[in-house]
Amino acid sequence: MAETTQFELVSPERLVLSRAVEMVVVPGTEGYFGVLPRHAPMISTLDAGIIDIYEGGSVVERIFVAGGFAEVTEERCTVLAENAVPLDEIDPAKVDKDIADTRDVLKDVSDTGERERLEARVVTLQAMARAKRAA
Amino acid sequence: MPNLKDLKVRINSVKSTQKITSAMKMVAAAKLKRAQEAAEAARPYAVRMDRMIAALGANVSGGDGPKLLTGTGRDDVHLIVVATADRGLCGGFNSTIVRAARRKIDKLLAEGKTVKVMTVGRKGRDQLRRVHGDKIISSKENLARTVVGFTVADEIGRELIRRFEDGEFDVATMFFNRFKSAMTQVVTEQQLIPANLPEGEQEDTGELKALYEFEPDEESILAALLPRNVATQIFTGLLENAASEHGARMTAMDSATRNAGDMINKLTLTYNRTRQAYITKELIEIISGAEAL
């Protein structure tokens, strides 16, 4: 088996995924970047996008993240994501409905904090829908 | 001589109290297990977040960093975040937190600082309202029906940061109970803003950290990471608090159940003694009546 690097995907609530991978492609703010074993140490912010896990030269797992941070060292790649959903589990129709619903709620919310939260949610959902369509 | 009927009523009432407390104990035990699992599951994120901040902090020279890290340069206005439970009947759980917070408030006031209070959880607000009611600027309650979600912590974090950016306070400290075991909880005081860099390990791995590349650059990553870190710390605190609350309630209800048991035994003994005394009395009456004939 080819050389691997330890990939960890962590959400605030739990450790979502921890496995050895041959390569993982992560949606950095300045463009997607691939992490192979013995990658130079770096820290990057992430945009909403898809994490691709490669094994044997092909994608074995695709996960949508709504932004976050990645820490890469020579032997591991850690992604701190706020919201991580496997791409297979995204249902575009449901996402569209969620966007519409959230917008509906948003119409009559006046509290700043609540507004901010809902607006962020719409942006996330839109990114999710885009990612799914592009896939 | 005590009335037999009254004793009977008393015993029955203690028995139903015992039923309630033992049920509450079992509920608390089940919730404790879940809360503990949630706290355990959230740990990896917090650990990695700390590691990243430590790496970044080592690279950002003091003074020009973002305010969330370096502070406003003053410490005149303190915000105390008091995290308690929404409900009582959990031993000294709420009081210990409030007591620690109150001591801190008094100390800060004595130093001539301005203090503002934000309460999370109803009990904290209720207990602080009497003395420091004028200082409470915001309170949240009914946060956790089952298990604390990250959104709750995120919301509190956002509010905190918004107030910080509006210049409402210089230093924010959070009080909560750290879970040690079901029997012991430790009141913990944690500084949220300015961020407390995890220290100690910084020097050991200093060389390694300098090697990190940053994308886009240290400042923008920190600017994005620090607000998350505030939310994460609040989240960790709330989870610890939830586990502690259920642990404390379990212990409190356990001893309440035991006390009720003791009381039932005592009352039953009195009841039996009294009953025998009545019988003896009646026998004496009958015998002496027969002898008199």
Side-chain angles (χ1 to χ4, degrees):
Chain A
M1 194 173 157
E3 199 178 354
T4 56
T5 185
Q6 188 65 25
F7 173 71
E8 282 174 337
L9 178 60
V10 202
S11 80
E13 271 136 14
R14 66 202 172 91
L15 183 66
V16 181
L17 186 73
S18 173
R19 61 180 287 184
V21 298
E22 282 169 23
M23 180 168 94
V24 55
V25 175
V26 182
T29 314
E30 299 191 336
Y32 278 73
F33 60 88
V35 179
L36 285 160
R38 283 180 289 145
H39 189 285
M42 68 179 272
I43 292 179
S44 170
T45 51
L46 299 186
D47 269 352
I50 300 170
I51 294 179
D52 283 332
I53 296 170
Y54 285 79
E55 217 155 80
S58 56
V59 181
V60 288
E61 230 174 310
R62 314 196 75 190
I63 303 157
F64 170 81
V65 290
F69 309 92
E71 185 203 20
V72 181
T73 64
E74 293 191 359
E75 64 277 0
R76 61 163 193 264
C77 170
T78 309
V79 172
L80 301 185
E82 277 116 66
N83 197 338
V85 193
L87 203 61
D88 303 339
E89 287 172 20
I90 299 175
D91 174 5
K94 197 177 160 295
V95 175
D96 284 341
K97 194 176 162 296
D98 281 349
I99 295 177
D101 287 352
T102 317
R103 282 219 173 104
D104 264 0
V105 180
L106 202 55
K107 267 183 219 141
D108 24 55
V109 173
S110 52
D111 178 59
T112 341
E114 182 70 7
R115 268 201 93 82
E116 244 173 55
R117 202 177 61 78
L118 289 172
E119 272 159 11
R121 192 176 145 76
V122 171
V123 173
T124 306
L125 287 169
Q126 280 170 338
M128 202 187 268
R130 254 200 321 276
K132 180 72 183 178
R133 295 230 163 74
Chain B
M1 214 179 279
N3 189 330
L4 272 186
K5 196 165 171 247
D6 286 349
L7 274 173
K8 192 91 214 159
V9 170
R10 200 62 214 292
I11 291 172
N12 280 334
S13 108
V14 178
K15 265 189 188 153
S16 48
T17 308
Q18 190 188 30
K19 266 183 210 149
I20 294 169
T21 57
S22 86
M24 276 182 81
K25 180 193 148 195
M26 278 184 290
V27 171
K31 282 191 178 164
L32 168 66
K33 194 158 166 288
R34 253 193 302 173
Q36 250 180 306
E37 279 166 4
E40 199 63 46
R43 209 154 286 156
Y45 190 83
V47 169
R48 288 174 179 81
M49 180 73 91
D50 274 353
R51 198 166 64 199
M52 237 182 251
I53 295 217
L56 281 159
N59 276 279
V60 175
S61 42
D64 58 347
K67 277 190 172 173
L68 279 175
L69 186 65
T70 57
T72 53
R74 282 166 292 148
D75 71 332
D76 300 333
V77 186
H78 284 250
L79 179 73
I80 310 284
V81 182
V82 186
T84 54
D86 276 330
R87 285 183 300 162
L89 287 179
C90 42
F93 175 79
N94 292 315
S95 320
T96 44
I97 301 175
V98 171
R99 204 178 312 128
R102 205 178 278 154
R103 210 176 298 138
K104 172 91 175 171
I105 294 172
D106 291 342
K107 193 175 140 246
L108 288 170
L109 287 177
E111 287 168 10
K113 312 256 197 258
T114 314
V115 178
K116 289 175 179 174
V117 179
M118 180 171 164
T119 60
V120 179
R122 204 175 62 221
K123 285 289 156 182
R125 192 202 59 197
D126 290 352
Q127 292 191 18
L128 279 171
R129 197 163 43 184
R130 262 169 284 145
V131 197
H132 297 298
D134 52 328
K135 300 182 187 67
I136 298 180
I137 50 170
S138 155
S139 40
K140 299 229 176 316
E141 52 186 87
N142 278 336
L143 296 174
R145 274 286 138 85
T146 47
V147 174
V148 197
F150 185 71
T151 37
V152 174
D154 196 33
E155 213 172 288
I156 300 172
R158 272 172 213 267
E159 183 180 336
L160 220 54
I161 287 160
R162 197 173 61 237
R163 286 178 188 276
F164 180 71
E165 278 166 356
D166 290 349
E168 286 189 40
F169 63 87
D170 302 315
V171 181
T173 316
M174 179 169 167
F175 280 88
F176 63 96
N177 265 331
R178 194 174 286 284
F179 182 82
K180 252 183 95 186
S181 70
M183 303 286 287
T184 34
Q185 297 86 31
V186 189
V187 184
T188 310
E189 178 184 340
Q190 184 161 22
Q191 187 172 314
L192 296 174
I193 301 172
N196 223 343
L197 281 185
E199 278 170 47
E201 49 182 318
Q202 231 158 313
E203 278 140 53
D204 318 338
T205 44
E207 300 159 49
L208 196 141
K209 267 159 198 159
L211 292 174
Y212 277 108
E213 273 173 46
F214 296 98
E215 223 184 85
D217 54 79
E218 289 99 314
E219 275 78 19
S220 3
I221 298 180
L222 261 184
L225 195 58
L226 286 171
R228 304 296 310 169
N229 186 47
V230 172
T232 309
Q233 286 189 347
I234 295 172
F235 186 51
T236 314
L238 290 181
L239 286 173
E240 290 277 342
N241 225 13
S244 303
E245 178 198 341
H246 296 308
R249 179 168 294 123
M250 197 177 93
T251 319
M253 287 303 121
D254 185 49
S255 57
T257 309
R258 206 157 338 114
N259 287 344
D262 288 350
M263 196 163 200
I264 291 171
N265 285 344
K266 232 183 279 167
L267 285 172
T268 316
L269 193 68
T270 323
Y271 176 81
N272 286 339
R273 282 222 182 104
T274 316
R275 192 174 51 89
Q276 279 178 333
Y278 271 120
I279 294 169
T280 319
K281 204 181 103 195
E282 269 169 38
L283 276 177
I284 291 171
E285 274 165 11
I286 294 168
I287 293 166
S288 29
E291 270 177 4
L293 283 176

